[in-house]
Amino acid sequence: MLVEEDAELTGDIQKNLERELFHAVISRDLNDALIGLETIQYNLIVINIFTKGGNGIKAIAQIAEERPDIKIIATAADQEGMPAAALEAAKMSGAHAVLALPFQMFELTDAIIELIPEAAGED
């Protein structure tokens, strides 16, 4: 799942993931992203912690607690000069990896493959 409210960035990430043969479900709202979390079989969630609809750090903590089987990559752009602190808070809340925005698409792909090695080369 990809949780990001920026439509252009979401489109770019989705195209990159599809090119790498990853299927992505998109949510542009944190609260919406958490609906059905207990039943939907996600392997990974890429979550921009500043996405509207809730507190990204709390959402990461909730996902980590309720679904420890799901890997989490937290992203954040510069928000009032604090992306590093926000990403560190995400890591402390349960994110397995963090990426500061903007990032290169290969960085996301590399992070996914590092967290889910069996995803590399899947058809």
Side-chain angles (χ1 to χ4, degrees):
M1 170 177 270
L2 172 60
V3 184
E4 169 63 59
E5 67 184 83
D6 181 313
E8 184 176 341
L9 179 58
T10 300
D12 290 345
I13 292 172
Q14 186 172 23
K15 285 177 193 169
N16 180 67
L17 293 175
E18 288 173 356
R19 187 173 35 253
E20 298 295 330
L21 303 177
F22 300 126
H23 173 70
V25 174
I26 308 298
S27 178
R28 291 199 171 91
D29 183 279
L30 281 167
N31 287 325
D32 290 347
L34 298 175
I35 295 171
L37 186 64
E38 64 281 350
T39 58
I40 299 173
Q41 297 302 309
Y42 296 119
N43 294 328
L44 173 88
I45 295 179
V46 179
I47 183 170
N48 182 329
I49 59 176
F50 295 119
T51 300
K52 68 181 178 182
N55 179 314
I57 302 300
K58 287 182 181 179
I60 289 169
Q62 179 181 343
I63 295 164
E65 182 178 324
E66 293 178 12
R67 291 291 305 278
D69 58 309
I70 297 175
K71 303 296 184 193
I72 304 167
I73 299 175
T75 67
D78 192 1
Q79 292 277 344
E80 300 174 17
M82 298 198 31
L87 290 173
E88 184 59 33
K91 199 90 160 132
M92 299 291 288
S93 296
H96 298 90
V98 296
L99 292 172
L101 288 164
F103 54 78
Q104 297 295 316
M105 290 300 162
F106 75 86
E107 294 175 289
L108 177 59
T109 302
D110 288 352
I112 292 170
I113 291 170
E114 185 174 319
L115 292 172
I116 308 173
E118 62 273 17
E122 273 191 7
D123 290 319

